[in-house]
């Protein structure tokens, strides 16, 4: 079996996951960045923060298209555009939504493979009750992807419950919702995201900075792709 | 499986208003264009403090426990100390009333699995709510009206458009008062009627049409937002709250400006601009604008409700209570829900449990007075 340059990049990515725990994240990112693939989003970065330039945001075509919307947003952000209808058809989205396996497959097919080669995106389950370790992992994943080397978005899968935290503009009810993650700031512990629900709930802002720990709580019981 | 929208609410939200929200990456909050109302308003920095001990004590005195029931208040009847809201028990969910003294929960409307409550408004004996009709199709909702004395319920409207599709991008949040219920009724994907239904006569009329928001009742006016055909920002429109006949908008409020959410009460008209909260006292014409001096990113102004001179809103990461007279505020940490009306504020806190599970709920309430203050805050 041959190992392509993109396979190598992906292998390094997984190694980076492990090595990051040992505190050698930066040098490995540097190496991986050199072999990383082609077109991806550009990133603005400074001390303790980074965000993707031109993070694409679209209103979802209908009430159950948040999954296709995130795939489409990610594809435009990373320069390999596909529309929501095409993404929905591939993922088998119905009026019952998109399941997480199909969502991950859609991100691979339309964004990961064309941009980075092979299976770039990895699904991460977040426990129902997240810990500080889950928070650290989430931040490290953002720092890896949303960096000048990779310029990759993450895809979040929110589970919001009545009385609990919600994304900006979401009503205090039970909501399941995919959204696109495109920035982080450890100086004030916030995360930057784009929300396709602008076409459904019109006071939802297209983009928001949001408390990172609260976002991890919202991801609890679901997860994200990075 | 996924993707729900067991919800969709947005209080008097304007469908074009997202332009006033954060649309560019920023670590702070941007400045909005200064329309005349904003320029004329007194700027007040909101000081965030801990919940004062007298509030804690007052809430502790007025507390009931609900066993194995989740209850999120959406509307309050301050005259009879009742709250109305969304309940979940192990076997049922829907709309319920809660006697704040006895803790008795009365199921008013039991829902199917697909249904949920988005927004409520109450004026004795009429309870109106926007009801989500699908967990997955977020634009599929109806307006329900219930006489809480007789239990008679009827559906006033749905979001189904003439072509059979459902609304996206526009919202409707009914307001009840003065013998009618008023709401924004979509007529296409880009237009809505401001519709008013009178309880006594059954008369239904369109007060306005176009890109109109849902209305609120503030003092003696019915107030809503409208995006004019040639305007880039919405402006406030008004009608007499009793007759629904057009009324003149005060000059200071008439110019187009960012408008997000609206809220109204006998003493106040409130709207949000994305980064600031605008408050008018209709009797005096006094205008104030509030902003957070710190922690603004955790306190987006959304879903506001008024009780006396207190504004409560759900930030997404907490519920916040603001004294409009002092500019001092405190957070009610999540999990919690807060609703307000008249002079009463109701706070519910579910007992922590597994995410999404039905647990016991602690319900507390406080009655405010003109002398009630949130004081002693230092920045």
């Amino acid at each position: 079996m041959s190992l392509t340059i993109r396979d190598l990049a992906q292998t390094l990515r997984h190694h980076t996951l492990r090595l990051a725990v040992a505190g050698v994240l930066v040098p490995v990112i540097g190496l991986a960045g050199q072999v990383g693939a082609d077109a991806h989003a550009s990133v603005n970065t400074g001390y303790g923060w980074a965000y993707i330039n031109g993070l694409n945001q679209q209103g979802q075509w209908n009430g159950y298209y948040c999954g296709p919307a995130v795939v489409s947003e990610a594809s435009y952000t990373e320069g390999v555009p596909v529309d929501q209808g095409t993404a929905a058809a591939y993922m088998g989205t119905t009026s019952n939504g998109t399941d997480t396996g199909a969502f991950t497959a859609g991100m691979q097919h339309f964004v990961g493979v064309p941009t980075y080669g092979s299976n770039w995106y990895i699904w991460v389950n977040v426990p129902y009750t997240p810990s500080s370790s889950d928070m650290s992992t989430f931040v490290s994943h953002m720092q890896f992807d949303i960096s000048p080397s990779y310029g990759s978005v993450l895809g979040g899968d929110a589970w919001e419950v009545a009385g609990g935290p919600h994304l900006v503009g979401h009503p205090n009810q039970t909501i399941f919702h995919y959204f696109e993650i495109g920035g982080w700031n450890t100086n004030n512990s916030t995360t930057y995201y784009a929300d396709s629900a602008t076409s459904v709930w019109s006071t939802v802002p297209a983009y928001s900075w949001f408390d990172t720990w609260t976002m991890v709580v919202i991801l609890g019981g679901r997860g994200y792709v990075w | 499986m996924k993707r729900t929208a067991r919800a969709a609410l947005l209080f008097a939200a304007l469908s074009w208003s997202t332009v006033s929200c954060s649309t560019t990456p920023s670590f702070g909050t941007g400045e909005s264009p200064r329309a005349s109302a904003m320029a004329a308003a007194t700027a007040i920095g909101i000081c965030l403090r801990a919940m004062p001990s007298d509030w804690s004590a007052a809430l502790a005195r007025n507390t009931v426990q609900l066993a194995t029931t989740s209850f999120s208040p959406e509307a309050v009847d301050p005259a009879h100390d009742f709250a109305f809201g969304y309940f979940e028990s192990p076997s049922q969910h829907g709309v319920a009333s809660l006697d704040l003294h006895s803790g008795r929960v009365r199921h008013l409307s039991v829902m199917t699995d697909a249904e949920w409550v988005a927004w409520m408004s109450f004026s004795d004996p009429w309870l109106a709510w926007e009801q989500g009709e699908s967990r997955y199709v977020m634009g599929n909702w109806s307006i329900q009206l219930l006489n809480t004395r007789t239990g008679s319920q009827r559906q006033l409207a749905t979001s189904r458009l003439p072509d059979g599709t459902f609304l996206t991008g526009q919202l409707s949040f009914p307001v009840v008062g003065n013998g009618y219920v008023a709401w924004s009724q979509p007529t296409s994907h880009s237009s809505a009627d401001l519709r008013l239904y009178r309880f006594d006569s059954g008369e239904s009329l369109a007060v306005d049409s176009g890109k109109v928001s849902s209305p609120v009742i503030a003092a003696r006016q019915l107030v809503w937002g409208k995006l004019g055909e040639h305007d880039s920002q919405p402006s406030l429109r008004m009608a007499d709250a009793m007759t629904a006949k057009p009324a003149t908008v005060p000059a200071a409020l008439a110019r187009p400006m960012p408008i997000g959410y609206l809220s109204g009460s006998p003493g106040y008209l409130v709207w949000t601009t994305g980064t600031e909260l605008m408050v008018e006292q209709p009797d005096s014409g006094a205008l104030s604008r509030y902003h957070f001096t710190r922690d603004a990113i955790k306190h987006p102004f959304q879903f506001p409700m008024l009780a006396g001179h207190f504004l409560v809103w759900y930030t997404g990461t907490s519920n916040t209570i603001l004294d409009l007279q002092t500019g001092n505020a405190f957070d009610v940490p999540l999990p919690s829900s807060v609703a307000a009306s008249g002079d009463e504020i109701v706070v519910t806190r579910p007992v922590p449990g597994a995410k999404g599970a039905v647990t016991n709920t602690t319900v507390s309430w406080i009655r405010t007075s003109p002398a009630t203050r949130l004081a002693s805050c230092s920045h």
Side-chain angles (χ1 to χ4, degrees):
Chain A
M1 186 172 72
S2 63
L3 185 69
T4 67
I5 193 76
R6 286 180 174 169
D7 291 329
L8 176 60
Q10 187 65 15
T11 302
L12 284 169
R13 173 184 169 86
H14 284 276
H15 285 177
T16 303
L17 255 178
R18 300 189 189 98
L19 292 171
V21 177
V24 290
L25 180 63
V26 171
V28 174
I29 283 178
L31 174 60
Q34 291 166 22
V35 296
D38 319 310
H40 59 69
S42 68
V43 171
N44 253 355
T45 187
Y47 180 75
W49 58 269
Y51 64 82
I52 290 175
N53 285 312
L55 185 70
N56 181 260
Q57 187 276 340
Q58 305 168 24
Q60 58 195 72
W61 286 7
N62 61 47
Y64 52 91
Y65 260 35
C66 56
V70 170
V71 171
S72 182
E73 289 170 340
S75 72
Y76 276 85
T77 296
E78 307 208 19
V80 287
V82 64
D83 65 36
Q84 294 183 29
T86 304
Y90 179 83
M91 296 189 294
T93 300
T94 69
S95 59
N96 288 337
T98 310
D99 69 41
T100 54
F103 174 69
T104 305
M107 289 291 285
Q108 303 286 27
H109 182 74
F110 292 110
V111 188
V113 171
T115 308
Y116 303 96
S118 70
N119 291 327
W120 171 259
Y121 287 102
I122 300 168
W123 175 264
V124 177
N125 285 313
V126 177
Y128 285 91
T129 306
S131 65
S132 58
S133 171
D134 298 308
M135 161 96 162
S136 299
T137 301
F138 177 61
V139 171
S140 71
H141 288 168
M142 288 197 293
Q143 290 174 326
F144 182 89
D145 273 354
I146 305 165
S147 63
S149 298
Y150 292 109
S152 173
V153 305
L154 294 82
D157 184 7
W159 178 14
E160 303 163 311
V161 299
H166 287 63
L167 299 176
V168 179
H170 287 209
N172 188 7
Q173 295 285 339
T174 298
I175 298 165
F176 296 103
H177 186 62
Y178 289 116
F179 61 104
E180 182 191 31
I181 299 167
W184 52 272
N185 183 352
T186 54
N187 299 309
N188 62 3
S189 193
T190 55
T191 296
Y192 180 60
Y193 70 94
D195 191 342
S196 63
T198 50
S199 60
V200 181
W201 301 313
S202 54
T203 55
V204 169
Y207 301 98
S208 296
W209 285 94
F210 192 78
D211 180 70
T212 300
W213 167 247
T214 307
M215 182 170 286
V216 172
V217 171
I218 287 173
L219 296 171
R222 295 280 169 160
Y224 59 92
V225 293
W226 72 289
Chain B
M1 298 297 286
K2 86 124 246 183
R3 291 358 41 189
T4 290
R6 234 187 73 206
L9 146 127
L10 282 192
F11 179 8
L14 306 186
S15 59
W16 55 90
S17 62
T18 51
V19 294
S20 68
C21 297
S22 55
T23 55
T24 54
S26 166
F27 297 123
T29 52
E31 287 294 305
S32 302
R34 288 284 182 269
S36 61
M38 302 169 84
T42 302
I44 297 173
I46 296 173
C47 181
L48 201 59
R49 53 161 296 166
M51 183 188 292
S53 57
D54 55 333
W55 278 65
S56 302
L59 288 168
R61 278 194 302 274
N62 300 323
T63 294
V64 293
Q65 304 286 340
L66 308 181
T68 327
T69 299
S70 297
F71 183 81
S72 298
E74 302 276 356
V76 179
D77 176 8
H80 303 95
D81 295 335
F82 272 80
F84 300 93
Y86 176 75
F87 81 93
E88 283 184 284
S89 71
S91 59
Q92 291 181 315
H93 74 112
V95 174
S97 66
L98 169 66
D99 183 328
L100 295 170
H101 292 284
S102 69
R104 177 172 177 257
V105 175
R106 185 162 66 105
H107 295 175
L108 301 175
S109 180
V110 175
M111 295 177 163
T112 67
D113 284 348
E115 295 167 343
W116 44 275
V117 173
W119 183 257
M120 270 185 183
S121 181
F122 177 79
S123 178
D124 194 19
W126 298 100
L127 180 68
W129 68 92
E130 184 191 51
Q131 177 168 299
E133 299 290 343
S134 167
R135 296 189 179 203
Y136 303 102
V137 183
M138 292 192 267
N140 182 0
W141 50 257
S142 64
I143 301 294
Q144 303 289 327
L145 179 68
L146 178 84
N147 184 321
T148 57
R149 288 183 194 149
T150 66
S152 171
Q153 180 179 340
R154 63 172 297 190
Q155 179 171 289
L156 289 180
T158 77
S159 62
R160 186 180 289 274
L161 298 169
D163 64 1
T165 63
F166 292 105
L167 173 77
T168 58
Q170 292 185 355
L171 305 151
S172 182
F173 303 98
V175 61
V176 181
N178 302 318
Y180 60 78
V181 55
W183 72 98
S184 171
Q185 174 65 43
T187 54
S188 73
H189 285 285
S190 59
S191 185
D193 286 344
L194 173 53
R195 196 158 297 175
L196 187 148
Y197 173 82
R198 293 192 186 281
F199 304 130
D200 54 357
S201 64
E203 176 194 14
S204 180
L205 66 146
V207 178
D208 198 359
S209 296
K211 292 186 174 179
V212 294
S213 75
S214 288
V216 297
I217 297 172
R220 290 170 295 278
Q221 308 289 352
L222 186 68
V223 184
W224 65 98
K226 183 173 185 177
L227 183 63
E229 199 171 325
H230 304 294
D231 293 332
S232 59
Q233 291 183 319
S235 54
L236 294 174
R237 306 296 166 95
M238 296 182 178
D240 183 281
M242 296 299 293
T243 65
K245 291 185 174 165
T248 303
V249 179
L253 308 183
R255 285 179 54 182
M257 57 187 165
I259 303 172
Y261 297 84
L262 289 169
S263 187
S265 73
Y268 294 93
L269 170 64
V270 170
W271 69 97
T272 68
T273 69
T275 57
E276 291 184 316
L277 180 75
M278 299 293 300
V279 177
E280 190 218 16
Q281 297 179 64
D283 284 346
S284 66
L287 275 169
S288 304
R289 57 185 172 92
Y290 298 77
H291 66 280
F292 274 89
T293 54
R294 63 179 175 87
D295 280 342
I297 202 166
K298 293 183 179 177
H299 295 85
F301 297 111
Q302 50 186 28
F303 314 114
M305 296 181 177
L306 284 155
H309 59 280
F310 291 90
L311 184 83
V312 309
W313 75 98
Y314 174 65
T315 71
T317 58
S318 67
N319 287 283
T320 302
I321 299 177
L322 166 67
D323 182 342
L324 294 171
Q325 293 188 342
T326 65
N328 298 327
F330 67 87
D331 285 343
V332 179
L334 300 180
S336 66
S337 298
V338 180
S341 183
D343 57 0
E344 206 159 70
I345 298 171
V346 178
V347 178
T348 65
R349 296 183 180 93
V351 173
K355 191 171 188 178
V358 172
T359 64
N360 299 345
T361 301
T362 300
V363 181
S364 306
W365 54 279
I366 186 169
R367 188 177 298 283
T368 67
S369 78
T372 307
R373 289 286 183 278
L374 282 177
S376 305
C377 185
S378 56
H379 289 270

